[in-house]
Amino acid sequence: MSNTITFSIDGKEIECKAGRTILDAAEENGIYIPRLCHRKGVSPHGSCRVCTVIANGKPMAACTTPVTPGMVVENDAEEVTAMRKAIIEMLFVEGNHFCMFCEKSGNCELQALAYRFGIAAPRYPYLFPHREIDFGHPDVFIDHNRCILCARCIRTSREIDGKEVLGFVERGPRKKVAANAEHGLRETEIAVGDEAMAACPVGALMPKHVGYQVPIGKREFDHEPIGSDIEKEAKASTK
Amino acid sequence: MAQSIEKLNRIAIEPVTRVEGHGKVTLLLDDRNHVRQARFHIVEFRGFERFIQGRPYWEVPVIVQRLCGICPVSHHLAAAKAMDGIVGVDQLTPTAEKMRRLMHYGQILQSHALHFFHLCSPDILFGFDADPQIRNVIGVAAKHKDLAVQGVMLRKYGQEVIKRTAGKKIHGTGAIPGGINKNLSITERDELLKDLAQMKEWGLGALKLAKDYTVEHLDWLADFGSFPSNHLSIVREDGAMDLYHGRLRAIDAEGNKIFDQVAVPRYIDYIAEEVRPWSYMKFPFIKSLGAEKGWYRVGPLARVNTADFIDTPLAEEARREFMAVTDGKPNNITMAYHWARMIELVHCIEKIDELLHDGDLQGEDLVLKGERRPEAVAIVEAPRGTLFHHYKVDENDQVVMANLIVSTTSNNEPMNQAVRKVADQYLDGHQITEGLLNHIEVAIRAYDPCLSCATHALGRMPLLVQLFDSRGNLLDRKTR
């Protein structure tokens, strides 16, 4: 029995090992599928839906859907792009994302996706929720205003750092990341060197005291859109 | 002051044009149509001092600069200097301090160029009474093309300096608590050096224009919206003009020192702010003189008056000429602000020249750390005058108190004085004439007020002037 299966993305025939997700198989073939909650090295979550593709005619999360033989995937399609843009815009209006002074600007995946999709302003009304900030820890803080509930910090902290310091509490619009302690982060073992700190795609879980130390022009997404690294690798390997 | 306001006629000029932001002027007249009360209103409110509370201290230099799009660098640097204090750093590395100074001089250069060429030059080139359709920057571009181009290019140069020090031309991130986030590469330095000689030539040309205009019209300008006043700025320890760092000095109209070499954190022992119910702008005053007599002017005129000397040769030569006009005494002529502003513009170009030839700008030692402190005050001389930033930060690193005294706030009472003086001179009966509007605006404009800074407002409205009789009936109405 062959361990390789064949499927197509946007009409392009692709081979991959059986058991791969659509997102991983695409990435191995130099096709970038936008994502926010997905992070290499930790278990997929499938919650943000930014990686939505049309697989065999149905919208599916590419980060959790395994490839099947002959699967037809639409990634670069008008319908898909429209869904992704709507999701990104909803994330913007749901929280309080002030890019103009946010220390994550230029390194923020949410902002970078908005730029990649050419979103100048969200079509939905801002909700301006009242959110708390946990500044009690000497080296680390959580600004819930910017949290998009992707759970990357929670999964990374558990699976990579081996700590039980973060988790979700509440439901619906009140859902939030919380420290596994009565009085917030300062009573947990979270440390500035944890891999979880690097996992946050936005400016929610951040190290203290070091904001803006990377000058404009040297930040991650200052020069090329998010996903360019994946697309570049593909171009380089086909040369 | 008017005793019985309900019996007075009221004239409103709204908004005042060619200033940064917008405000309005009301004049209250008595039965004989003499100006009894003049008020320059700032009618908007933004409240930055409140909404940065709760934010982490390192965010402040980036947030507060959003007060303004004209001189954000001043707020960026004043906040960064205060946050140096919060992180316990009293002396930056040479690279950090010089990069910040370069950013500051670029900022003052672009702001002064904008004001002189775009906002003020129509008045002095075409005359105060010229048709408003011509008396604007488009009119300057049509009739004095070279000058208009120089204004644009000088401003652009200043913005390029800011971009290479702060990362962006507007609202960058260069200054961080304890230092700076980049140095100046050799390539960036050479790009800036390339156009410097041309900037110097144009700067000297603008200085000559401002000087010649003031000297030629001295007799008339000496009385136009002018009045004796106190002057305040920071100066270097040796008394030199220093726009980035120094200690407070205040002098009276005769040049006598009211206080000198006051350490910045002690400002609160010397300056207080009065609140008046009709304006969102506060009225700062020198405590020892009281609210009535303690108001003072800030900005280019005050700085040239307070400084013992300027440490760059061309600007110092110009300062001497400037001071000679008043026999070495402080110059109290409102319209002399323009001349003083151009002296500073030349000073900034000389300073940029000096810094670009300093190898420290290519240093790698950018940020220092010290022991955290709960409170800090910092001052810079912004283009429009002395800018105070005062913060308290709690043990969780969150701002719990912010007090900003911006330049235009300090010039609040002087602008009211200038309006009253001019209105009294040019009001003709109870008709609103173009001449009256023009002259009041010219006097206010001399202070280069930034109303978005002072109350933190944005926007633009058509000019509306209304004249009311003592019973509130509308007598005259004019729009522009």
Side-chain angles (χ1 to χ4, degrees):
Chain A
M1 184 180 150
S2 169
N3 204 22
T4 304
I5 55 177
T6 306
F7 74 112
S8 74
I9 299 182
D10 298 329
K12 185 184 169 194
E13 287 273 300
I14 284 173
E15 277 191 357
C16 72
K17 284 183 185 166
R20 284 280 192 275
T21 62
I22 299 171
L23 188 137
D24 286 341
E27 187 162 332
E28 284 164 13
N29 284 277
I31 297 169
Y32 171 67
I33 297 178
R35 79 292 303 263
L36 274 173
C37 73
H38 182 73
R39 186 164 196 258
K40 254 186 197 164
V42 293
S43 54
H45 201 241
S47 61
C48 77
R49 315 310 273 193
V50 170
C51 69
T52 297
V53 291
I54 309 279
N56 290 341
K58 286 183 188 168
M60 304 292 286
C63 71
T64 52
T65 308
V67 172
T68 54
M71 183 184 256
V72 177
V73 175
E74 293 172 63
N75 175 49
D76 187 12
E78 209 172 300
E79 185 188 354
V80 175
T81 303
M83 280 192 278
R84 288 173 182 166
K85 282 172 85 166
I87 291 166
I88 293 163
E89 290 174 44
M90 282 191 272
L91 288 171
F92 269 103
V93 300
E94 189 185 48
N96 297 309
H97 299 276
F98 299 113
C99 298
M100 75 289 276
F101 64 77
C102 178
E103 58 187 283
K104 192 79 173 191
S105 257
N107 296 309
C108 172
E109 293 180 31
L110 179 65
Q111 182 193 44
L113 278 173
Y115 277 124
R116 184 174 172 119
F117 281 108
I119 298 169
R123 75 195 81 168
Y124 311 111
Y126 287 99
L127 300 181
F128 295 119
H130 178 75
R131 302 253 184 99
E132 290 161 8
I133 309 171
D134 182 349
F135 268 111
H137 192 283
D139 304 318
V140 172
F141 71 92
I142 293 182
D143 188 341
H144 294 287
N145 290 292
R146 304 171 185 157
C147 182
I148 55 168
L149 305 175
C150 67
R152 270 163 53 164
C153 57
I154 298 171
R155 285 173 287 144
T156 307
S157 185
R158 283 181 189 160
E159 296 171 23
I160 310 284
D161 300 324
K163 295 181 180 178
E164 286 288 336
V165 296
L166 299 166
F168 280 129
V169 293
E170 304 270 14
R171 295 175 71 84
R174 287 190 298 278
K175 184 174 176 176
K176 64 174 184 177
V177 172
N180 184 17
E182 195 178 344
H183 298 107
L185 282 180
R186 68 187 156 98
E187 291 178 346
T188 70
E189 288 175 1
I190 196 164
V192 75
D194 285 0
E195 188 60 23
M197 297 299 300
C200 182
V202 289
L205 181 63
M206 298 286 286
K208 278 185 163 185
H209 315 294
V210 294
Y212 316 99
Q213 285 198 352
V214 179
I216 294 167
K218 295 200 169 170
R219 301 171 306 181
E220 195 174 354
F221 305 117
D222 275 341
H223 300 291
E224 289 184 328
I226 187 169
S228 299
D229 49 342
I230 293 168
E231 291 162 338
K232 250 188 211 166
E233 271 175 31
K235 275 183 197 160
S237 63
T238 54
K239 274 179 188 169
Chain B
M1 292 289 269
Q3 297 299 314
S4 178
I5 287 167
E6 65 276 10
K7 287 187 178 173
L8 304 179
N9 286 325
R10 177 174 173 270
I11 297 176
I13 302 176
E14 184 180 20
V16 178
T17 58
R18 273 190 285 137
V19 297
E20 310 293 358
H22 64 258
K24 70 171 181 177
V25 170
T26 58
L27 304 172
L28 287 170
L29 314 178
D30 63 16
D31 291 339
R32 287 175 298 165
N33 292 325
H34 289 142
V35 178
R36 293 295 300 271
Q37 185 187 71
R39 284 174 173 176
F40 180 42
H41 297 254
I42 311 297
V43 293
E44 288 82 16
F45 182 74
R46 279 172 92 184
F48 266 68
E49 290 169 350
R50 176 65 190 83
F51 69 65
I52 58 169
Q53 287 178 23
R55 299 309 308 173
Y57 70 80
W58 55 89
E59 257 185 20
V60 175
V62 180
I63 296 183
V64 292
Q65 64 178 340
R66 294 274 168 176
L67 272 165
C68 186
I70 301 297
C71 72
V73 168
S74 308
H75 290 288
H76 181 57
L77 289 176
K81 282 178 72 179
M83 295 313 154
D84 296 342
I86 293 294
V87 299
V89 175
D90 292 319
Q91 180 63 54
L92 300 180
T93 67
T95 305
E97 164 143 357
K98 287 172 185 176
M99 280 296 284
R100 285 196 193 175
R101 280 183 176 273
L102 182 60
M103 192 193 303
H104 193 45
Y105 294 124
Q107 145 75 10
I108 294 178
L109 167 61
Q110 71 84 19
S111 177
H112 279 4
L114 167 72
H115 183 263
F116 184 73
F117 288 91
H118 298 187
L119 306 182
C120 150
S121 77
D123 297 329
I124 67 175
L125 292 171
F126 300 123
F128 303 176
D129 290 325
D131 181 356
Q133 298 296 321
I134 300 164
R135 195 169 50 97
N136 55 46
V137 69
I138 305 297
V140 175
K143 290 230 169 180
H144 303 270
K145 196 177 165 197
D146 289 354
L147 210 58
V149 169
Q150 288 172 20
V152 171
M153 297 309 282
L154 271 165
R155 176 142 199 260
K156 180 172 187 284
Y157 186 82
Q159 298 282 30
E160 294 293 343
V161 172
I162 295 169
K163 186 182 169 189
R164 283 161 180 80
T165 47
K168 272 166 73 185
K169 288 178 183 172
I170 301 173
H171 300 140
T173 62
I176 53 178
I180 194 91
N181 68 13
K182 75 185 287 290
N183 64 9
L184 192 77
S185 71
I186 296 286
T187 313
E188 289 171 319
R189 182 199 67 186
D190 292 346
E191 283 165 355
L192 292 175
L193 277 171
K194 192 161 51 73
D195 297 323
L196 193 65
Q198 180 64 77
M199 297 306 137
K200 199 176 275 183
E201 189 191 320
W202 287 343
L204 287 168
L207 171 63
K208 185 173 184 309
L209 183 64
K211 177 192 148 188
D212 290 351
Y213 175 81
T214 315
V215 172
E216 272 171 36
H217 301 87
L218 196 59
D219 289 346
W220 173 57
L221 293 181
D223 203 35
F224 178 77
S226 299
F227 44 84
S229 79
N230 306 308
H231 300 270
L232 179 134
S233 78
I234 51 170
V235 290
R236 209 164 67 183
E237 268 180 47
D238 59 1
M241 175 185 280
D242 193 331
L243 302 171
Y244 176 75
H245 195 67
R247 289 164 167 251
L248 284 164
R249 171 182 285 180
I251 59 169
D252 67 18
E254 292 296 310
N256 304 306
K257 290 190 177 73
I258 302 166
F259 53 75
D260 194 17
Q261 298 296 333
V262 169
V264 165
R266 293 186 61 210
Y267 87 97
I268 212 150
D269 298 330
Y270 291 83
I271 310 278
E273 289 179 282
E274 186 191 9
V275 175
R276 297 183 195 171
W278 51 271
S279 178
Y280 282 122
M281 264 212 292
K282 294 175 188 172
F283 288 78
F285 61 93
I286 294 164
K287 273 186 176 177
S288 63
L289 301 177
E292 185 93 354
K293 292 183 175 166
W295 53 273
Y296 54 88
R297 283 192 267 204
V298 297
L301 182 72
R303 289 190 289 246
V304 174
N305 280 332
T306 54
D308 296 331
F309 67 100
I310 299 177
D311 68 347
T312 55
L314 297 172
E316 171 60 7
E317 191 188 325
R319 187 196 69 87
R320 285 170 187 269
E321 287 174 353
F322 182 91
M323 297 309 289
V325 168
T326 48
D327 298 325
K329 295 275 187 190
N331 186 319
N332 286 292
I333 301 170
T334 285
M335 289 297 283
Y337 259 99
H338 298 301
W339 184 0
R341 196 170 284 120
M342 289 306 97
I343 294 172
E344 289 189 343
L345 181 136
V346 169
H347 173 59
C348 289
I349 297 171
E350 289 182 288
K351 278 292 187 188
I352 290 169
D353 194 357
E354 196 179 296
L355 284 164
L356 290 178
H357 288 92
D358 189 327
D360 280 344
L361 286 180
Q362 281 77 49
E364 299 285 345
D365 210 359
L366 305 181
V367 190
L368 294 175
K369 261 188 175 180
E371 201 163 313
R372 272 273 278 111
R373 295 173 194 156
E375 185 173 358
V377 185
I379 295 181
V380 295
E381 284 295 335
R384 289 154 187 82
T386 316
L387 173 63
F388 301 70
H389 277 216
H390 182 183
Y391 301 98
K392 288 182 186 171
V393 178
D394 70 8
E395 65 283 0
N396 286 343
D397 304 312
Q398 291 172 280
V399 173
V400 290
M401 187 285 285
N403 185 34
L404 316 179
I405 306 178
V406 305
S407 333
T408 299
T409 307
S410 291
N411 275 336
N412 202 354
E413 182 60 29
M415 284 189 288
N416 279 287
Q417 294 282 340
V419 167
R420 175 154 44 181
K421 189 84 190 286
V422 172
D424 221 11
Q425 281 173 310
Y426 292 91
L427 186 70
D428 179 18
H430 49 256
Q431 292 288 315
I432 304 165
T433 62
E434 276 296 314
L436 174 68
L437 302 189
N438 294 345
H439 285 80
I440 287 174
E441 286 191 341
V442 167
I444 293 171
R445 202 173 291 130
Y447 292 85
D448 188 9
C450 184
L451 311 186
S452 49
C453 268
T455 67
H456 326 319
L458 285 171
R460 197 171 176 84
M461 290 156 52
L463 179 68
L464 171 67
V465 185
Q466 292 174 308
L467 178 66
F468 296 94
D469 69 12
S470 55
R471 288 180 297 281
N473 300 316
L474 188 66
L475 294 178
D476 194 8
R477 187 174 189 279
K478 219 171 195 181
T479 55
R480 181 183 287 170

